[in-house]
Amino acid sequence: MRRRIAVQEAAFDVNAELAALSTPEAGGLASFIGVVRGGAGLTALRLEHYPGMTERALERLADAAAARWALLGCTIIHRVGRLELGAPIVLVATASAHRADALAATAFLIDQLKTAAPFWKSEAFADGSQRWVEARDADEAAAAAWRQDLPPPPEPL
Amino acid sequence: MHVLYFAWLREKIGLAGEDLTPPPGVATARELLRHLAARGGGYGAAFANEAVIRCALDQEFVPLDTALGQAVEIAFFPPVTGG
C-alpha cells in the first residue's frame, strides 16, 4: 500500500494528493477534509503537535486501516501553526478497488485521528483572547465505537 | 530524563521542556507529575487537576500509573484535540 503521512504548516493541494493516490487498480478514492469552522467570534485556530510522536501515530493509524480494509493507498496530511477561518486543517484520503473499503477506512481514520494523535488546538477570537479547545466526549465515543467493531454513533448536530 | 510539556501545560509552566533526574521515590509518571506539582507556581497550576493530564513515555501514550523504567523522554499534555 502506498502510504503518505505529513505534518506541515503549508496548505495541501487536494487534487495533486488524490491524483498521486490513484492507481490503475483503484476503483475509488475517498477523502475527508477538515476545515476551520467559524462562529462565536473565532478568527483563527493555532495547532500544536508533538514532533516525531505525531507522525508515528499517524503512520500506525494508516497501517491499522490497511490491516482492516483492502486499501491500495492512504494519505494523511495534518496542518499545524496558525490557520484562518475556512482553511483546510486535515486531509484523509484512501484508495481501494471498491468504494466500501475506501469510505469506511476514511471514516475510521478521521475518527481515530481525533483521539490517537497528539495535536492540540487553540482558538483565537476577535477580542484578542485565546482558548485551548477541550476534548469532546463525542470524539472519544466515535473512536471507541470502531474499536468495539460497532458502527460509529452519528455526529451530534 | 527529558520532560516535555504541550499546550496549556507548556504555557502555565513557561517551558517547552527540561532535563531532570527523577529523585528517589519517584517511579511512575504520576509520581513525577506530583513531584513537579510540588514545585508550586506554574507547575502547581499546570498539574492541579490530574484528571485532565495525559502522558507519553518515549512517545507512546501510557496511563499515568506506568513505571518510568528506562524511558528517556516523558511528555505531559492535555487530552488531544486534532482533526
Side-chain angles (χ1 to χ4, degrees):
Chain A
M1 180 189 72
R2 179 188 181 280
R3 186 181 76 179
R4 168 159 155 69
I5 305 293
V7 178
Q8 61 189 42
E9 292 195 11
F12 42 78
D13 179 337
V14 175
N15 286 338
E17 296 297 341
L18 293 181
L21 190 58
S22 194
T23 71
E25 299 79 28
L29 309 177
S31 63
F32 174 84
I33 300 163
V35 301
V36 180
R37 179 177 55 232
L42 185 81
T43 56
L45 289 183
R46 194 170 59 78
L47 271 120
E48 177 175 330
H49 76 301
Y50 185 165
M53 180 174 170
T54 304
E55 290 82 351
R56 282 228 309 278
L58 297 179
E59 288 166 5
R60 271 191 213 165
L61 287 179
D63 290 345
R68 189 161 172 177
W69 291 282
L71 299 184
L72 297 165
C74 176
T75 294
I76 306 173
I77 304 175
H78 204 300
R79 297 177 69 192
V80 292
R82 183 181 166 88
L83 298 171
E84 308 291 332
L85 285 191
I89 303 172
V90 59
L91 169 68
V92 173
T94 60
S96 63
H98 303 285
R99 70 182 182 282
D101 289 276
L103 289 167
T106 300
F108 165 86
L109 285 166
I110 190 62
D111 280 349
Q112 294 296 316
L113 188 154
K114 282 182 169 281
T115 61
F119 290 100
W120 300 274
K121 284 192 189 101
S122 71
E123 299 173 319
F125 295 94
D127 65 3
S129 64
Q130 181 234 280
R131 182 177 68 198
W132 288 96
V133 174
E134 291 186 19
R136 298 164 66 235
D137 290 343
D139 288 337
E140 180 53 45
W146 288 102
R147 291 197 289 275
Q148 292 156 17
D149 224 7
L150 299 170
E155 274 287 299
L157 295 175
Chain B
M1 68 193 308
H2 195 50
V3 188
L4 298 173
Y5 311 111
F6 290 98
W8 49 258
L9 276 94
R10 173 178 46 73
E11 290 184 342
K12 288 184 177 178
I13 292 167
L15 283 176
E18 60 188 305
D19 290 306
L20 61 78
T21 302
V26 169
T28 68
R30 189 185 302 278
E31 287 164 2
L32 180 60
L33 179 163
R34 289 177 180 171
H35 167 72
L36 291 166
R39 290 176 172 177
Y43 290 94
F47 291 118
N49 182 4
E50 291 181 11
V52 294
I53 308 293
R54 301 292 181 267
C55 166
L57 265 184
D58 285 343
Q59 306 197 354
E60 300 283 347
F61 289 110
V62 294
L64 283 180
D65 290 313
T66 304
L68 299 176
Q70 301 304 308
V72 297
E73 183 172 291
I74 187 167
F76 292 107
F77 43 80
V80 303
T81 55

